[in-house]
């Protein structure tokens, strides 16, 4: 029998480089298992395990194999199952057998929920899942999360299963969850120096009589506050000890006057790339090809250039979304564009800061590997805030 703990406990699925795991750790969760099929990502999870999660609990392999080899007794009580299940495109024009596609991990994630009956579930994914061609399957995922005890039959398509799930409930279910409408969250609105939109699903077990409320998870930072601090009362430039630059064309005198009359928003301002470079400490400019002697993963990369669709992140705005890239590192999202229009690549360390990883969190492997893990990660600060709010809802 697994040792029980008074600390809330989670299972991390598709843990990757550790963004969700680290955020929930910061929110006070203890990880009973971290499951990830990418061996190099597992190396990063183990390298950073001290004081965060048990290195021995990092499972290097397919979540379906982990399910077969792990019992509920082994793991013990689980408060939260969390992760970002990989999902391939689904279309109504297809064969309607997307749930049998080996590359789609939502069925496995839902099997974990069925097996461990956690108090709550957090799933995160790209917002493209909610577009028209995907939405029927996405709605099916949400329906399964609401009624995981209504399992898929071997001989039915996912659309037939979805139809059964849509029928009125008869009698009590052995396991069901309250799921609010999934919400697309921009990480910049929660203090991350990056414009990163992701869809979050949060479910709470129905028998607990509790409910997640997205209205209570209000943004803490805003673009309007940044605009005010830059172009109305230019404290942003004063804080960075640099001259106020020429205003962008869209901030005409009339626009600035209207902003001034409305007054400064009460929220914090969006954090920018320039903020990231100095917080929590000043990062020195990386030297091309030379690792920094004290700062891990801080090596300069030569050759930054602009081309259509890859123009860099303006230094005085949140960074563009850091992406994993299908054919290597996405240059446009991993470059800084300075005010003189010069460019340089973000180091791995800087990219990690953009995602909210602390400077002592190290990434193993080549730059392309590290950037893939960073680009696939959940923004750490968003995961932390979701975890903190969920603890408050569950009173754990």
């Amino acid at each position: 029998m697994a040792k029980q703990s008074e600390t809330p406990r989670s299972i991390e699925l598709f843990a990757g480089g550790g963004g969700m795991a680290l955020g929930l750790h910061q929110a006070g969760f203890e990880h009973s298992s971290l499951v990830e099929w990418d061996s190099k990502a597992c190396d990063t999870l183990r390298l950073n395990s001290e004081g965060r999660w048990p290195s021995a609990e990092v499972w290097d392999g397919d979540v379906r194999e982990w399910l077969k080899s792990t019992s509920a007794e082994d793991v013990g009580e689980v408060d939260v199952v969390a992760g970002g299940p990989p999902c391939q495109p689904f279309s109504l024009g297809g064969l309607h057998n997307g749930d049998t596609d080996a590359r789609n991990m939502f069925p496995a994630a839902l099997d974990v929920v069925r097996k461990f009956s956690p108090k709550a579930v957090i799933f995160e994914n790209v917002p493209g899942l909610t577009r028209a061609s995907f939405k029927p399957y996405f709605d099916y995922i949400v329906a399964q999360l609401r009624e995981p005890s209504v399992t898929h039959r071997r001989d039915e398509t996912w659309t037939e299963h979805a139809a059964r799930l849509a029928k009125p409930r008869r009698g009590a279910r052995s396991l069901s969850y309250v799921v609010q409408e999934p919400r697309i969250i921009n990480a910049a609105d929660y203090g991350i120096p990056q414009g990163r939109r992701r869809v979050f699903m949060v479910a709470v077990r129905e028998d607990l009589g509790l409910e997640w409320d997205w209205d209570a998870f209000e943004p803490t930072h805003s673009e309007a506050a940044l605009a005010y601090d830059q172009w109305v009362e230019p404290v942003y430039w004063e804080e960075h000890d640099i001259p106020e630059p020429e205003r962008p064309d869209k901030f005409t005198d009339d626009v600035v006057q209207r902003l001034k009359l409305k007054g400064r928003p009460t929220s914090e301002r969006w954090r920018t790339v320039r903020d990231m470079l100095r917080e929590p400490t000043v990062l020195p400019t990386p030297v091309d090809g030379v690792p920094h002697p004290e700062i891990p993963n801080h090596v300069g990369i030569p050759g930054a250039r602009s081309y259509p669709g890859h123009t860099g992140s303006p230094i005085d705005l949140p960074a563009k979304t850091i992406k994993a890239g299908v054919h290597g590192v996405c240059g446009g999202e991993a470059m800084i564009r300075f005010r003189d229009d010069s460019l340089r690549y973000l180091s791995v360390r800087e990219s990690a800061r953009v995602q909210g990883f602390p400077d002592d969190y190290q990434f193993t492997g080549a730059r392309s590997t590290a950037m893939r893990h960073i680009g696939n990660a959940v923004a750490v600060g968003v995961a932390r805030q979701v975890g903190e709010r969920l603890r408050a809802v569950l009173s754990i």
Side-chain angles (χ1 to χ4, degrees), residues 20-78:
M20 179 80 83
L22 183 57
L24 291 185
H25 164 74
Q26 292 175 351
F29 284 86
E30 174 184 300
H31 302 311
S32 57
S33 294
L34 298 93
V35 186
E36 171 56 41
W37 71 272
D38 184 333
S39 294
K40 292 180 179 178
C42 289
D43 290 341
T44 289
L45 292 172
R46 294 189 185 99
L47 177 65
N48 294 281
S49 63
E50 186 173 355
R52 295 185 173 110
W53 44 73
S55 178
E57 299 302 338
V58 176
W59 173 277
D60 185 348
D62 191 304
V63 65
R64 293 164 293 195
E65 295 303 316
W66 174 80
L67 258 178
K68 292 176 185 176
S69 64
T70 307
S71 68
E73 290 74 21
D74 292 332
V75 173
E77 184 177 2
V78 176

Side-chain angles (χ1 to χ4, degrees), residues 28-175:
F29 284 86
E30 174 184 300
H31 302 311
S32 57
S33 294
L34 298 93
V35 186
E36 171 56 41
W37 71 272
D38 184 333
S39 294
K40 292 180 179 178
C42 289
D43 290 341
T44 289
L45 292 172
R46 294 189 185 99
L47 177 65
N48 294 281
S49 63
E50 186 173 355
R52 295 185 173 110
W53 44 73
S55 178
E57 299 302 338
V58 176
W59 173 277
D60 185 348
D62 191 304
V63 65
R64 293 164 293 195
E65 295 303 316
W66 174 80
L67 258 178
K68 292 176 185 176
S69 64
T70 307
S71 68
E73 290 74 21
D74 292 332
V75 173
E77 184 177 2
V78 176
D79 292 290
V80 172
V81 166
C87 183
Q88 298 300 318
F90 289 85
S91 171
L92 286 178
L95 297 176
H96 293 200
N97 61 350
D99 60 317
T100 64
D101 191 318
R103 299 167 298 173
N104 172 31
M105 289 291 107
F106 269 109
L110 290 163
D111 283 342
V112 173
V113 173
R114 294 182 185 101
K115 185 166 187 174
F116 295 100
S117 305
K119 294 177 182 175
V121 179
I122 305 170
F123 285 160
E124 176 265 1
N125 220 291
V126 294
L129 253 179
T130 63
R131 69 175 183 246
S133 60
F134 286 78
K135 196 171 187 305
Y137 191 84
F138 184 69
D139 291 342
Y140 169 54
I141 292 166
V142 174
Q144 288 181 92
L145 188 52
R146 288 195 174 104
E147 301 284 357
S149 59
V150 182
T151 56
H152 183 273
R153 293 169 180 164
R154 187 184 297 272
D155 60 346
E156 68 181 348
T157 65
W158 72 260
T159 52
E160 291 169 339
H161 187 203
R164 278 201 302 120
L165 286 164
K167 291 180 179 179
R169 179 192 296 189
R170 294 180 180 178
R173 302 293 194 197
S174 59
L175 181 63

Side-chain angles (χ1 to χ4, degrees), residues 105-378:
M105 289 291 107
F106 269 109
L110 290 163
D111 283 342
V112 173
V113 173
R114 294 182 185 101
K115 185 166 187 174
F116 295 100
S117 305
K119 294 177 182 175
V121 179
I122 305 170
F123 285 160
E124 176 265 1
N125 220 291
V126 294
L129 253 179
T130 63
R131 69 175 183 246
S133 60
F134 286 78
K135 196 171 187 305
Y137 191 84
F138 184 69
D139 291 342
Y140 169 54
I141 292 166
V142 174
Q144 288 181 92
L145 188 52
R146 288 195 174 104
E147 301 284 357
S149 59
V150 182
T151 56
H152 183 273
R153 293 169 180 164
R154 187 184 297 272
D155 60 346
E156 68 181 348
T157 65
W158 72 260
T159 52
E160 291 169 339
H161 187 203
R164 278 201 302 120
L165 286 164
K167 291 180 179 179
R169 179 192 296 189
R170 294 180 180 178
R173 302 293 194 197
S174 59
L175 181 63
S176 59
Y177 286 83
V178 178
V179 188
Q180 292 293 337
E181 185 71 19
R183 178 71 59 90
I184 293 177
I185 289 176
N186 184 355
D189 293 337
Y190 293 86
I192 306 301
Q194 177 188 191
R196 186 180 189 86
R197 298 172 72 252
R198 290 294 184 268
V199 62
F200 279 78
M201 288 179 273
V202 180
V204 178
R205 211 172 64 209
E206 189 175 43
D207 66 290
L208 298 176
L210 304 169
E211 189 171 318
W212 174 271
D213 183 2
W214 280 116
D215 290 338
F217 191 71
E218 288 294 320
T220 56
H221 295 63
S222 73
E223 180 181 15
L226 176 63
Y228 195 96
D229 285 0
Q230 286 180 335
W231 310 115
V232 180
E233 300 290 342
V235 296
Y236 174 87
W237 314 108
E238 295 171 8
E239 290 177 10
H240 284 284
D241 195 25
I242 55 178
E244 182 181 351
E246 183 177 345
R247 288 200 313 248
D249 291 342
K250 70 177 183 178
F251 288 102
T252 63
D253 290 342
D254 287 345
V255 169
V256 170
Q257 185 60 30
R258 286 198 297 271
L259 290 173
K260 190 171 185 176
L261 289 173
K262 289 175 66 176
R264 191 191 184 284
T266 57
S267 61
E268 297 292 322
R269 67 174 180 246
W270 272 1
R271 294 182 63 228
T272 67
V273 174
R274 195 185 297 274
D275 291 328
M276 175 275 293
L277 293 174
R278 77 167 196 171
E279 298 169 1
T281 58
V282 175
L283 273 178
T285 301
V287 178
D288 287 351
V290 180
H292 192 280
E294 298 176 356
I295 303 172
N297 304 124
H298 196 45
V299 183
I301 305 296
R305 62 185 180 87
S306 178
Y307 52 96
H310 296 268
T311 57
S313 297
I315 190 169
D316 292 310
L317 291 173
K320 295 179 180 179
T321 305
I322 298 292
K323 296 179 181 177
V326 178
H327 304 292
V329 178
C330 290
E333 293 79 9
M335 294 189 296
I336 303 175
R337 180 174 288 276
F338 296 91
R339 299 207 70 87
D340 63 0
D341 279 336
S342 62
L343 296 163
R344 76 164 173 82
Y345 282 117
L346 291 165
S347 71
V348 170
R349 179 80 277 133
E350 290 166 334
S351 300
R353 272 197 180 189
V354 164
Q355 278 281 56
F357 287 97
D359 288 350
D360 65 347
Y361 197 95
Q362 300 183 48
F363 290 86
T364 60
R367 172 182 165 81
S368 58
T369 299
M371 290 296 291
R372 183 174 72 252
H373 295 159
I374 292 168
N376 278 330
V378 177

